[in-house]
Amino acid sequence: MRKLIIAACTAGLLAVMSSCGTSRNAASSIKALDGEWKIITVNGQALSPQPGEKTAFIGFDVKENRIYGNTGCNNLVGGLQADAANKTITFGQSGSTRMLCPHMETEEIVLEAMGKVGKYEITDKNKMSLMTADGKTVMTLEKRNK
């Protein structure tokens, strides 16, 4: 009987320790989103600024659950919901400045792609993919150096 109790306690302790590790991994995965990410591709097409455009990027502030950035023309702010355990991410209500730029195509494709995002995957510390809920990559990002 004593061996059975020790085995049960050991199994319980291992389960608790395992869940703590998962929480730490999830927290570090969410923390890895933090910072500014240059938008490299949208729907498989390379994104290069047109003359007069800024470099499009998304900034993630996971502590405040918000995003910010630039779509090539206008500045962007909005909400963020991310779940590291499931690698899901969605953007909440957002707003932007309302400047008219000579090339609005970049902004249009960036905003359309952002509306489709449901998952993320950080492939290394400097690269990330934003995907639809069913796993199709809609954007690739690269960590910006400030």
Side-chain angles (χ1 to χ4, degrees), residues 1-145:
M1 183 67 160
R2 184 172 180 215
K3 287 182 183 182
L4 183 61
I5 292 172
I6 291 173
C9 289
T10 302
L13 181 60
L14 288 174
V16 168
M17 288 171 54
S18 172
S19 69
C20 289
T22 302
S23 297
R24 273 194 299 275
N25 290 341
S28 68
S29 177
I30 285 290
K31 188 74 174 148
L33 287 172
D34 260 340
E36 295 181 356
W37 297 80
K38 178 182 173 185
I39 302 171
I40 303 299
T41 67
V42 178
N43 296 320
Q45 299 295 314
L47 196 65
S48 298
Q50 298 293 322
E53 281 187 329
K54 296 178 182 176
T55 300
F57 76 94
I58 302 173
F60 296 92
D61 182 343
V62 296
K63 183 177 179 185
E64 298 295 324
N65 292 319
R66 69 179 191 94
I67 60 166
Y68 59 94
N70 188 284
T71 60
C73 176
N74 286 292
N75 292 325
L76 171 73
V77 295
L80 165 70
Q81 296 84 40
D83 178 353
N86 296 312
K87 302 235 180 205
T88 59
I89 187 169
T90 55
F91 305 118
Q93 294 252 333
S94 64
S96 69
T97 55
R98 301 194 65 169
M99 295 185 297
L100 182 60
C101 298
H103 302 281
M104 297 298 289
E105 297 86 11
T106 300
E107 178 163 308
E108 290 169 4
I109 64 170
V110 166
L111 293 174
E112 181 182 340
M114 286 179 68
K116 296 177 181 177
V117 172
K119 289 182 165 185
Y120 73 96
E121 180 179 6
I122 298 175
T123 54
D124 70 32
K125 67 179 183 176
N126 295 317
K127 299 197 185 307
M128 178 177 10
S129 294
L130 298 178
M131 301 166 283
T132 61
D134 62 359
K136 180 183 177 209
T137 299
V138 292
M139 298 173 92
T140 58
L141 311 174
E142 184 175 272
K143 195 80 163 202
R144 280 177 58 161
N145 295 326

